[in-house]
Structures are given as structure tokens and as C-alpha cells.
Amino acid sequence: MKRIEEILDINWYKNLFLSLLSLPKDKEELILKSFKKYIDNLNNLENLKPIDIDENTKKIMKKVFNKSPKPNELINYKNDLKSKNKIYICPYCGIKSLEEWYPIEHYLPKSKFSEYTLFWLNLFICCERCNSSLKRDKWEEWNRLFLNPYIDKVYDKEFIWMVVEKTNDKYKFSFELIEKNLESHEITLLKNHFKTFKLISRLDDIVSNYVDELLDEIKNNINNKALLSKLKEDYQKKLDKMWLNSVRPVIVKYFINNMDVLKDIYLYKNKS
């Protein structure tokens, strides 16, 4: 995923934004000032307060976002958000691929911060479940409930581990949040994030399927000396389009460090 420094091409986005809207000059200036306020508070977005915007302007911005009078430009705007920001997997859960259909997410909810309805730094893509079912319009002043893929450097740290337990020859897979090497504020934010998106239970629900997929991919190389190299290559390929703590890279990295467990699981699942 792109960091904020890489996507802060203000003139490019500003021109696109203005091309979508037809606001009176004073309203346009008010909105653009709110953009500067957002940028100035990137590291403290939980402290932002909505500005006072008249209902008509709110309706115009909402209408443009949902169905622009210039639909081709709106489609280009949304497509450019994806291509420029390099987000291919949901930045909230790390589970769902965003290669095909995807919703546009408002980090600060547009129901509360209508001034940022079309603001590029407040928009990114995520999966439908995270956007509509779990996050919705949640927001707490002074307390961030979820990560921001543009600004949170904790994305570059490992904070999810896979745990494998063996009981009576059966394997159980689960995940846990690891706190070492994290700052105290990062731990608090991650715990809020995990709670908001029900991450541990969601990961636990799908891990067996992903392990089976991996076993199927490597079945022809399970006893091959090149297996470790293949896994490492697979890990790097996944990181090209996934963030470090996405479920698939986490699983592959575990088995890179525990090859004997991988082979044992394969043998168990393929007993005649």
C-alpha cells in the first residue's frame, strides 16, 4: 500500500475533485480549507471536528459521490484511487481480495464529516463486510477505532502470528495479536481495530481453508528439497499485492519457519 507521502499529489486530486463539483465559490473555498485542516491533522484525525456546512452543499456532495452528473469522471476518480494507492487486499481485514469489485471507504464517515465525502485522503478501498457490516459509521472523538492504511506505520510491523497446536494427531490453527516491538499507542489502536472488525474470530474461521489451499499448491513438491525456496518465493509474491499482516503471508511465513509441521499436516491430511 502507498504511504501518505507517495499519494499526496494535491494538484492532481484537487483538479479531479473540482471537475466533479459545481459549488459556489465561497462553498468551494470552505471545503478546500477543510482539506488543508485534514492534512495538518493527519496524525491526529480523531481530534478533528466536522465543519458547519449547509444541507444543500451536503446533498450536492453526496449526490456527486453516489451518482455524479459526470459519471465517466467519477469512475476515473475511483479507479485512480485504486491504481495510485496500490491497494489489492482489504486494508482492514487483510482477507478479502480487491482485484474485482470493491466499495469506496470513507475513513472519517461521510455521515458525520460530509466535507470529506470526496476528499482523496479520506478515501480508499476495502471489502464489503468491513465497510458496510462492521465499520459502518463508527467514529469516536479522541479515540481511534481502526487503522488508516495511508498513515499508520504499524502496517510495516508484524503484529499477527499464526498459532498451531497439535492434539491427538489433529492440528488446530488460530491467530493472536503480538505486542512485542509495538508502541503502547499502537497496541491500543490495534486492539480497537481487531475489536471493530472482529479479526481474530474471522481469521480463525478461514485459516483451515487457506492451509488446505497451500497444501494443494505444494503437493507435488512436499518432499522436494526446493520446497523451502518455493515457499519463500510464494511469500514474496504475496507481499507484492498484500500487506505484511494479511492472512496468506502470515500463514506462509509460519510454515517457512516450521517446515516439519507443514509436512506433518500434509501427511495427516493425506492418509490413505
Side-chain angles (χ1 to χ4, degrees):
M1 290 177 289
K2 293 280 187 168
R3 282 286 172 259
I4 198 74
E5 297 85 359
E6 299 175 274
I7 64 170
L8 200 55
D9 187 350
I10 294 178
N11 289 330
W12 182 87
Y13 282 107
K14 180 180 175 181
N15 291 336
L16 265 179
F17 168 79
L18 294 177
S19 73
L20 293 172
L21 286 174
S22 297
L23 292 175
K25 190 67 176 177
D26 60 328
K27 305 299 183 186
E28 180 182 290
E29 290 178 355
L30 180 65
I31 299 297
L32 291 176
K33 283 182 179 179
S34 75
F35 293 178
K36 183 179 184 307
K37 187 178 179 182
Y38 191 108
I39 293 171
D40 291 341
N41 286 275
L42 279 173
N43 294 317
N44 303 99
L45 292 176
E46 65 272 23
N47 299 341
L48 281 181
K49 292 180 172 60
I51 64 174
D52 186 19
I53 301 178
D54 64 278
E55 290 301 317
N56 186 53
T57 301
K58 290 181 182 179
K59 288 179 180 178
I60 291 174
M61 295 185 70
K62 184 177 180 180
K63 182 178 180 180
V64 169
F65 181 80
N66 291 330
K67 190 176 181 180
S68 173
K70 302 176 181 179
N72 289 335
E73 290 189 27
L74 182 63
I75 290 171
N76 290 337
Y77 185 67
K78 292 181 176 181
N79 285 340
D80 282 330
L81 279 171
K82 181 177 181 180
S83 62
K84 281 183 174 290
N85 300 351
K86 304 297 182 185
I87 297 178
Y88 300 104
I89 197 162
C90 180
Y92 284 148
C93 66
I95 298 172
K96 295 293 185 180
S97 170
L98 303 175
E99 294 286 357
E100 297 178 3
W101 184 88
Y102 49 87
I104 297 290
E105 153 70 355
H106 294 79
Y107 186 76
L108 298 185
K110 62 181 182 294
S111 61
K112 296 180 174 67
F113 295 87
S114 56
E115 62 268 33
Y116 303 126
T117 298
L118 284 162
F119 182 46
W120 52 94
L121 296 184
N122 195 51
L123 304 176
F124 49 85
I125 57 176
C126 69
C127 73
E128 178 69 16
R129 184 174 181 189
C130 285
N131 184 40
S132 301
S133 301
L134 297 172
K135 179 177 178 285
R136 300 191 297 273
D137 291 336
K138 290 178 182 175
W139 185 257
E140 289 183 8
E141 190 175 345
W142 311 113
N143 181 35
R144 277 217 287 151
L145 299 178
F146 25 80
L147 295 170
N148 185 313
Y150 295 157
I151 63 176
D152 285 313
K153 294 183 179 181
V154 73
Y155 274 100
D156 297 325
K157 298 180 181 181
E158 288 184 307
F159 56 76
I160 298 178
W161 276 352
M162 185 168 79
V163 178
V164 179
E165 297 176 310
K166 185 178 182 181
T167 306
N168 297 326
D169 291 328
K170 291 185 177 181
Y171 281 95
K172 178 183 177 183
F173 311 102
S174 61
F175 291 86
E176 64 180 27
L177 172 66
I178 52 174
E179 299 182 4
K180 72 174 185 177
N181 301 324
L182 297 178
E183 303 292 334
S184 58
H185 70 278
E186 292 174 330
I187 294 172
T188 299
L189 176 55
L190 281 169
K191 286 182 176 178
N192 286 344
H193 184 91
F194 273 53
K195 181 179 179 180
T196 298
F197 297 106
K198 301 179 179 178
L199 270 187
I200 293 297
S201 62
R202 290 173 67 190
L203 292 170
D204 289 351
D205 286 344
I206 54 90
V207 61
S208 291
N209 291 336
Y210 286 147
V211 171
D212 287 344
E213 286 179 12
L214 176 61
L215 290 172
D216 188 59
E217 290 173 8
I218 56 98
K219 62 185 178 183
N220 294 325
N221 296 285
I222 193 66
N223 293 312
N224 192 317
K225 292 182 179 180
L227 177 58
L228 181 59
S229 297
K230 177 176 174 54
L231 287 176
K232 289 181 177 179
E233 181 182 353
D234 184 47
Y235 180 72
Q236 289 303 319
K237 285 181 179 179
K238 284 177 168 52
L239 288 185
D240 287 341
K241 290 194 173 184
M242 300 179 188
W243 46 288
L244 185 62
N245 295 280
S246 301
V247 61
R248 290 175 179 83
V250 171
I251 291 172
V252 174
K253 184 166 185 178
Y254 173 86
F255 287 124
I256 286 174
N257 295 321
N258 297 275
M259 292 287 290
D260 55 331
V261 176
L262 177 63
K263 292 180 179 181
D264 195 42
I265 293 171
Y266 178 84
L267 292 174
Y268 172 78
K269 287 180 174 289
N270 289 275
K271 285 181 180 178
S272 55

